[in-house]
């Protein structure tokens, strides 16, 4: 009832950190999105997919940090080995 919104764990997260652009000789390559572009895209996608997580660099409530697993390992190591 009160508190944060629950997100569905069974749906895959949407990655908005990189975009595909046309490179030299017609090749496609991935380049990082700016934080402004990520916010705009995330706002549009939240209207379509309100219960999804997003992989981005914004560190917001429904964001997944791509390197979050490193923080969890360091926390476990600190708990057991310090």
């Amino acid at each position: 009832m009160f508190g944060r919104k629950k997100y569905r764990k069974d749906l895959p997260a949407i990655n908005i950190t990189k975009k595909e652009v046309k490179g030299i000789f017609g090749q496609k390559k991935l380049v990082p999105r700016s934080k402004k572009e990520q916010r705009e895209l995330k706002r549009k996608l939240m209207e379509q997919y309100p219960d999804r997580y997003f992989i981005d660099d914004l560190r917001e409530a429904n964001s997944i940090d791509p390197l979050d697993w490193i923080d969890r390992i360091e926390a476990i190591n600190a708990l057991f080995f310090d």
Side-chain angles (χ1 to χ4, degrees), residues 7-18:
Y7 294 100
R8 293 179 54 181
K9 301 281 185 187
D10 60 336
L11 296 174
I14 299 172
N15 189 349
I16 58 173
T17 57
K18 297 188 183 271

Side-chain angles (χ1 to χ4, degrees), residues 4 8-9 13-14 39 46-47 51 60 62 67 82:
R4 290 179 45 164
R8 293 179 54 181
K9 301 281 185 187
I14 299 172
R39 282 189 187 97
M46 284 292 292
E47 294 171 0
D51 54 351
E60 295 174 349
N62 58 344
L67 301 176
D82 284 343

